[in-house]
Amino acid sequence: MKARDFLWCAVNLVLDREEELNRLCPSCRAQAEEARCLCCGAPLDGVSVGQNASFDEERFERLKRGETG
């Protein structure tokens, strides 16, 4: 597959998800968009979901600006 094929697939996945959400009432849509544990379904309030805990944001910003120290 070429890069454009992967992009096409990704865009269509996003559009499919949006179509699914549009078929829900506002209350159910809000609940579907909440961050929840995949195992037990408990809300993940205040938890960084999908982020690498060891990622150094400050160092990343320095490197992005071209600083080496």
Side-chain angles (χ1 to χ4, degrees), residues 30-49:
Q31 185 177 359
E33 291 177 329
E34 288 178 355
R36 295 195 166 268
C37 174
L38 292 176
C39 186
C40 69
L44 296 174
D45 296 331
V47 177
S48 297
V49 178

Side-chain angles (χ1 to χ4, degrees), residues 1-68:
M1 287 178 59
K2 296 182 179 183
R4 67 175 181 238
D5 297 325
F6 286 109
L7 177 61
W8 184 87
C9 288
V11 167
N12 279 286
L13 287 172
V14 170
L15 292 174
D16 290 346
R17 170 82 171 143
E18 190 63 30
E19 286 177 5
E20 290 175 6
L21 291 173
N22 284 338
R23 290 185 288 169
L24 300 174
C25 71
S27 174
C28 290
R29 182 180 177 130
Q31 185 177 359
E33 291 177 329
E34 288 178 355
R36 295 195 166 268
C37 174
L38 292 176
C39 186
C40 69
L44 296 174
D45 296 331
V47 177
S48 297
V49 178
Q51 293 182 358
N52 184 350
S54 64
F55 182 74
D56 187 351
E57 183 74 32
E58 292 177 14
R59 181 170 182 261
F60 173 76
E61 292 298 327
R62 287 193 313 268
L63 291 172
K64 193 165 76 170
R65 290 189 301 268
E67 299 173 14
T68 58

